[in-house]
Amino acid sequence: MLDPRRLSIHQVTLRQCSTPEFVAALARHRVPCTSLWRDKTREYGVEKTAQIIADNGIALSGYCFAGLITSPDRSEAATARDDVRRALDEAAALRAPCLVFVAGGVDPRDKNIADTRARALDGVAELISHARSVGVRIALEPLHPMICATRSVLSTLKLANEWCDRLDADDIVGIAVDTYAVWWDAEIAAEIARAGKRICSFHVSDWLADTQDLRVDRGMMGDGVIDLPALRRLVEAAGYAAYVEVEIFSQRNWWQRDPDEVIGVIKERVQTAV
Amino acid sequence: MLDPRRLSIHQVTLRQCSTPEFVAALARHRVPCTSLWRDKTREYGVEKTAQIIADNGIALSGYCFAGLITSPDRSEAATARDDVRRALDEAAALRAPCLVFVAGGVDPRDKNIADTRARALDGVAELISHARSVGVRIALEPLHPMICATRSVLSTLKLANEWCDRLDADDIVGIAVDTYAVWWDAEIAAEIARAGKRICSFHVSDWLADTQDLRVDRGMMGDGVIDLPALRRLVEAAGYAAYVEVEIFSQRNWWQRDPDEVIGVIKERVQTAV
């Protein structure tokens, strides 16, 4: 059983809602926590969003997302890092404990993926002082290898652990474990144990056998092939005791449904399938 | 420069052709080698295919594919292994040096992926004696993690090397390195070196930045973000000197084009982009 106080539903899971509609739906169903999404937050306004969240007594598990700092052009990369600093400021204003960080993909101008990864790691190192100054943890999120070209060259938890070893800043750089991104990994058990207290965010959804899109066809927990209870046991054995965060991108299904129905199914599935 | 005698074009790359049309196109363009695909071969007939290949002086780099032996049902798994034995017989009749082996995915009846991998490895072990008896190498092909659920729990070259270590049968079990499946892997250089002479097949295509399908949207070499020359250097440094095999599944582009055009582009791109 999952303590209902540990449920967080990411804003993107109900992309069909405006921010006020989303917050009202969470409050109506007594969902205690969310991770806000940046596009929605900026659209509604950071201060207004902070206010409506506080007024409804909803906690934040994180702020999603910023990053994409892998450009081989030095000026573009600097601009991208400045944008991450703004996102850290927004997260601080929202009182979110962490900013989910997405490294960036492979630029056709430089197909050397080792160099690309080195640039990303150097870029994270440059962001640490700002993160410390605003008190928001950078949550490095390994993403699925299928979006390595476009979104993230940080493709495994092992690599995230290696980056954390190199950064030596566990006080301010953590790791977001997204089950959808890492479930296939033969080394996942060992790397979750190694990550230990670095794990500051735990995302659940499911991998559908008939997945039709590389990004926006995630499944509801229980509808796919991921052994979610096993992954939850692993992160909890590693010391993670915070929120179970439901993050479902679903263009063809859950984004088309009534928010009350979606939340009802989530509340049931986190008890039966996670 | 690639020695033109090292070019192999997989039959699936010209899926729009019948077997006789395909063989005629290879002969017309003096492409010396192919890997035949099983569905086309069985449709045209194994003996007739062997004959037409021999009559046109075309070599075989392999036979694609068989496997899918991960069922948790013992009877289903035994049936699947019998089918692999038939595929080995077909490969022998065609005088193909290896059978490309695809492990199989995760069955919803058993989401434990470690158990699934153990079943696949045990299944390969059971196939070794038949492979030896017909003289066809089993080429374990790590496939991209995005098709882990449906096609292959063998998701990395590291895992393939671990399986080969466990099987201790390098004379008859090798590894197929498909650039499309492994390009994202942070450990690829070390694992290619470790694989060494196990590498019996090297497949090239490219990863398109705007990939729209998990299986049939591969790109022509040079049209995507994979550093193909770097990967070719790695396999050649590991001792691989056999065919460079062009394997492109492309529903929306190359499968729609005239075969002569496709082969012309391939012959140019293996010189400029691999």
Side-chain angles (χ1 to χ4, degrees):
Chain A
M1 290 292 288
L2 180 75
D3 182 336
R5 290 172 298 183
R6 287 183 59 204
L7 174 61
S8 173
I9 298 179
H10 278 225
Q11 186 169 21
V12 74
T13 303
L14 289 166
R15 192 164 185 76
Q16 57 272 55
C17 297
S18 68
T19 292
E21 289 167 350
F22 174 65
V23 171
L26 295 183
R28 194 159 62 241
H29 291 272
R30 303 186 198 289
V31 175
C33 183
T34 184
S35 283
L36 291 168
W37 271 58
R38 198 175 181 205
D39 56 347
K40 293 275 191 186
T41 299
R42 289 165 66 108
E43 183 187 329
Y44 188 63
V46 175
E47 284 182 32
K48 279 173 68 186
T49 301
Q51 192 63 52
I52 195 173
I53 286 285
D55 289 348
N56 283 274
I58 291 168
L60 287 187
S61 48
Y63 187 45
C64 298
F65 65 86
L68 310 179
I69 62 170
T70 48
S71 170
D73 179 283
R74 294 174 71 90
S75 162
E76 285 177 17
T79 300
R81 289 194 302 275
D82 283 342
D83 184 62
V84 177
R85 292 186 186 95
R86 274 192 298 278
L88 286 163
D89 294 342
E90 293 161 19
L94 296 162
R95 299 177 188 269
C98 68
L99 171 70
V100 172
F101 178 85
V102 172
V106 178
D107 193 293
R109 291 170 291 180
D110 178 11
K111 299 183 187 180
N112 186 315
I113 193 167
D115 287 354
T116 306
R117 287 179 167 132
R119 283 197 301 276
L121 177 56
D122 289 347
V124 176
E126 290 195 37
L127 295 166
I128 285 176
S129 64
H130 193 80
R132 280 212 182 95
S133 73
V134 298
V136 174
R137 205 166 179 187
I138 296 171
L140 302 179
E141 184 174 36
L143 289 179
H144 197 286
M146 72 181 165
I147 50 175
C148 180
T150 49
R151 288 280 175 151
S152 177
V153 290
L154 182 60
S155 305
T156 61
L157 183 53
K158 182 175 192 173
L159 193 56
N161 273 319
E162 288 173 8
W163 286 15
C164 285
D165 288 348
R166 295 272 298 277
L167 292 165
D168 190 23
D170 285 351
D171 62 302
I172 199 69
V173 178
I175 294 175
V177 174
D178 184 327
T179 51
Y180 191 80
V182 304
W183 71 277
W184 58 272
D185 187 345
E187 299 184 82
I188 194 63
E191 293 300 327
I192 285 175
R194 174 183 172 191
K197 287 292 193 181
R198 285 172 178 163
I199 301 171
C200 58
S201 192
F202 177 60
H203 303 179
V204 296
S205 65
D206 213 337
W207 184 282
L208 300 173
D210 69 335
T211 303
Q212 289 170 23
D213 187 272
L214 277 71
R215 219 173 61 78
V216 294
D217 196 26
R218 296 187 179 202
M220 178 65 64
M221 300 76 72
D223 288 348
V225 299
I226 305 179
D227 189 350
L228 291 166
L231 290 169
R232 183 179 152 209
R233 281 193 298 274
L234 287 170
V235 296
E236 292 181 355
Y240 183 79
Y243 293 99
V244 170
E245 307 174 35
V246 177
E247 183 188 54
I248 304 173
F249 311 146
S250 173
Q251 185 67 54
R252 66 169 160 136
N253 189 351
W254 301 101
W255 286 351
Q256 306 299 329
R257 299 207 194 194
D258 177 77
D260 291 308
E261 181 196 357
V262 178
I263 295 177
V265 175
I266 287 172
K267 290 178 79 167
E268 179 207 329
R269 295 296 180 84
V270 292
Q271 297 303 336
T272 58
V274 178
Chain B
M1 291 293 288
L2 180 75
D3 182 335
R5 291 171 298 182
R6 287 183 59 203
L7 174 61
S8 173
I9 298 179
H10 277 225
Q11 187 169 19
V12 73
T13 302
L14 288 167
R15 193 166 183 76
Q16 57 274 54
C17 297
S18 68
T19 292
E21 288 167 351
F22 174 66
V23 171
L26 294 182
R28 194 158 62 239
H29 291 272
R30 304 186 197 288
V31 175
C33 183
T34 185
S35 283
L36 292 168
W37 271 58
R38 198 176 180 206
D39 56 348
K40 293 274 191 185
T41 299
R42 288 164 67 109
E43 184 186 328
Y44 187 64
V46 174
E47 284 182 32
K48 278 173 69 185
T49 302
Q51 192 63 52
I52 197 174
I53 287 285
D55 288 349
N56 283 274
I58 292 168
L60 288 187
S61 47
Y63 187 45
C64 297
F65 64 87
L68 310 179
I69 61 171
T70 48
S71 171
D73 180 282
R74 293 174 72 89
S75 161
E76 285 176 18
T79 301
R81 288 193 302 275
D82 283 342
D83 184 62
V84 178
R85 291 187 186 96
R86 272 193 298 277
L88 286 163
D89 294 342
E90 292 160 19
L94 295 162
R95 299 177 187 269
C98 68
L99 172 71
V100 173
F101 179 85
V102 171
V106 178
D107 193 294
R109 292 169 291 180
D110 178 11
K111 298 183 188 181
N112 186 316
I113 193 167
D115 287 354
T116 306
R117 287 179 168 133
R119 283 198 301 276
L121 177 56
D122 289 347
V124 176
E126 289 195 38
L127 294 166
I128 285 176
S129 63
H130 193 80
R132 279 211 183 97
S133 74
V134 298
V136 174
R137 205 166 180 188
I138 296 171
L140 302 179
E141 184 175 36
L143 289 179
H144 197 285
M146 73 182 166
I147 51 175
C148 181
T150 50
R151 287 280 175 151
S152 178
V153 291
L154 182 60
S155 306
T156 61
L157 183 53
K158 183 175 193 172
L159 193 56
N161 272 319
E162 288 174 9
W163 286 15
C164 285
D165 288 348
R166 296 271 298 278
L167 292 165
D168 191 23
D170 285 350
D171 63 303
I172 200 70
V173 178
I175 294 176
V177 174
D178 184 328
T179 52
Y180 192 80
V182 304
W183 71 277
W184 58 272
D185 187 344
E187 299 183 83
I188 194 63
E191 293 300 326
I192 285 175
R194 175 182 172 193
K197 287 293 192 179
R198 285 172 177 162
I199 302 172
C200 58
S201 192
F202 177 59
H203 303 179
V204 297
S205 65
D206 213 337
W207 184 283
L208 300 172
D210 69 336
T211 303
Q212 289 170 23
D213 187 272
L214 278 71
R215 219 175 61 80
V216 294
D217 196 26
R218 297 187 177 201
M220 178 65 64
M221 299 78 70
D223 288 348
V225 300
I226 304 179
D227 189 349
L228 291 166
L231 290 168
R232 182 178 153 209
R233 280 193 298 273
L234 287 170
V235 296
E236 291 181 355
Y240 184 79
Y243 292 98
V244 170
E245 305 174 35
V246 177
E247 183 189 55
I248 304 173
F249 311 146
S250 172
Q251 185 66 55
R252 67 171 159 134
N253 189 352
W254 301 101
W255 285 351
Q256 306 299 328
R257 298 207 194 193
D258 177 75
D260 291 309
E261 182 197 356
V262 178
I263 294 176
V265 175
I266 287 172
K267 290 178 79 167
E268 180 207 329
R269 295 295 180 85
V270 292
Q271 297 302 337
T272 59
V274 178

